């Protein structure tokens, strides 16, 4: 695409980046998108077209859900051919979930979809929002000499780093560097220049057709183990009505207690067709169930290896696969294969 027809669709969903302090209560509240542009006059200095789409009303990202993800997919797919790239302004709290979900729902994506936000509202003097927004727009429009987008992926850009969306986790509620991609290298670093880590960026050999997906099944649970966890807690989770899958957060390289009742409960759930995926509670590293006996027994019980998946990615991938009405065996098989670069097998 030549610079003449470069364009970006800026989608504002809500979050701190577009918030302002209520003079009476001191609480942060959403304000109108028009005001966002007023606070970032620099937007007008881009020489290409920036159109906007606003969620009405804007959402705190704690309220994000599959309905809102579907809306994002609809907006992107309806406008896919009209823009070089897409920037989504989003609250930081659940941004990693949204980025993960979109990476699965936007199958065949060949344009940049960059999510960003900020820790301080854009109207505040020390805001990190301006930097994040302006650089995201630059990345969303960056093309190679042959006109192909440099980063045709769903990403999060935050505090100088561009990360594959489904590899990210929010790990800091205070500092500007709120996100990390613990198990995959950053896709770009922004300093004086934006340096792209081309080897790590997914590029499809030929231009794929975008295939948007809308069906998600939320009949899943996340079960985090801790020493002393009671049988009735495990039982309550596994006997949840309609439950189809569980993300089991285990210790270290995928280890769990060896207690007979524990393994039996998991085994029975697997037999009933509940898909249980083993991800580690550690921020960094991968599950290797064959490494210790404590992990090996989980494998014997029928539990699927989640490799180096984040919980955010495992949760949204399960929703996506279950939305297809696949058999439990098929979901297990697909959980062990990267669909959008979310795991390293
Ligand atoms: N509560 C806000 C949200 O996630 C926090 C933020 O934007 O950073 O929507």
């Amino acid at each position: 695409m030549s610079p003449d027809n470069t364009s970006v669709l800026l989608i504002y969903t809500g979050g701190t980046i577009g918030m302002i302090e209520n003079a009476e209560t001191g609480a942060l509240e959403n304000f109108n998108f028009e005001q966002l542009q007023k606070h970032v006059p620099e937007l007008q200095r881009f020489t290409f077209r920036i159109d906007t789409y606003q969620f009405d009303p804007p959402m705190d990202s704690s309220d994000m859900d599959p309905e809102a993800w579907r809306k994002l997919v609809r907006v992107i797919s309806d406008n896919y051919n009209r823009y070089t790239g897409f920037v989504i302004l989003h609250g930081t709290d659940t941004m990693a979930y949204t980025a993960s979900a979109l990476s699965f729902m936007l199958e065949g994506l060949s344009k940049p979809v960059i999510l960003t936000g900020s820790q301080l509202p854009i109207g505040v003097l020390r805001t990190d929002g301006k930097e994040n927004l302006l650089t995201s727009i630059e990345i969303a429009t960056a093309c190679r000499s042959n006109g192909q987008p440099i980063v045709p992926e769903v990403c999060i850009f935050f505090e100088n780093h561009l990360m594959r969306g489904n590899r990210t986790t929010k790990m800091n509620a205070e500092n500007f560097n709120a996100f990390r991609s613990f198990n995959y290298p950053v896709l770009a670093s922004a300093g004086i220049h934006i340096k792209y880590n081309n080897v790590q960026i997914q590029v499809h050999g030929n231009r794929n057709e975008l295939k948007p997906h809308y069906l998600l099944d939320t009949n899943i649970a996340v079960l985090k183990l801790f020493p002393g966890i009671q049988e009735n807690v495990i039982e309550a989770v596994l006997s949840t009505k309609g439950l189809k899958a569980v993300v089991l957060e285990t210790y270290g390289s995928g280890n769990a207690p060896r207690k007979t009742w524990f393994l039996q409960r998991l085994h029975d759930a697997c037999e009933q067709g509940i898909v249980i995926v083993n991800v580690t509670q550690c921020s960094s590293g991968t599950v290797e169930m064959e490494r210790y006996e404590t992990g090996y027994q989980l494998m014997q019980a029928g539990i699927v290896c989640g490799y180096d998946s984040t919980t955010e990615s495992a949760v949204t991938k399960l929703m996506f696969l279950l939305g297809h009405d696949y058999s439990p065996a098929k979901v297990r098989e697909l959980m062990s294969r990267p669909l959008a670069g979310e795991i390293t097998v």
Side-chain angles (χ1 to χ4, degrees), residues 14-17 19 59-62 90-94 118-119 170:
T16 297
I17 192 161
M19 285 181 170
M59 305 169 72
D60 186 289
S61 78
S62 307
H90 194 290
T92 56
D93 291 345
T94 64
S118 66
Q119 293 282 62
K170 181 174 179 182

Side-chain angles (χ1 to χ4, degrees), residues 134-285:
L134 299 173
T135 310
S136 295
I137 292 175
E138 220 173 302
I139 291 171
T141 52
C143 288
R144 300 187 188 283
S145 49
N146 63 4
Q148 298 289 318
I150 296 184
V151 196
E153 294 202 33
V154 178
C155 301
I156 287 185
F157 178 77
F158 223 88
E159 246 263 312
N160 304 332
H161 294 305
L162 182 73
M163 295 156 275
R164 177 170 297 157
N166 57 30
R167 293 290 195 151
T168 57
T169 299
K170 181 174 179 182
M171 53 90 201
N172 203 316
E174 165 72 22
N175 293 351
F176 287 155
N177 62 343
F179 289 89
R180 278 286 284 280
S181 166
F182 286 101
N183 286 329
Y184 198 77
V186 295
L187 303 185
S189 300
I192 292 177
H193 303 286
I194 301 178
K195 291 193 179 145
Y196 292 96
N197 191 355
N198 290 318
V199 189
Q200 310 294 345
I201 297 172
Q202 273 199 328
V203 272
H204 307 289
N206 43 9
R207 240 171 217 276
N208 288 5
E209 281 283 302
L210 180 74
K211 194 169 166 215
H213 293 272
Y214 296 97
L215 296 178
L216 297 171
D217 189 332
T218 53
N219 281 304
I220 63 175
V222 177
L223 181 52
K224 182 170 185 157
L225 297 182
F226 57 90
I229 193 165
Q230 292 292 307
E231 183 169 7
N232 55 4
V233 173
I234 303 281
E235 187 198 349
V237 173
L238 295 179
S239 61
T240 303
K241 200 159 161 253
L243 186 73
K244 294 188 183 151
V246 175
V247 175
L248 183 68
E249 288 196 358
T250 57
Y251 310 126
S253 52
N255 304 311
R258 279 181 303 170
K259 297 188 173 67
T260 315
W261 62 261
F262 177 77
L263 293 167
Q264 191 60 48
R265 291 267 177 209
L266 294 180
H267 176 267
D268 293 350
C270 292
E271 288 275 285
Q272 285 161 31
I274 295 175
V275 178
I276 305 181
V277 182
N278 185 351
V279 303
T280 173
Q281 292 178 17
C282 296
S283 308
S284 187

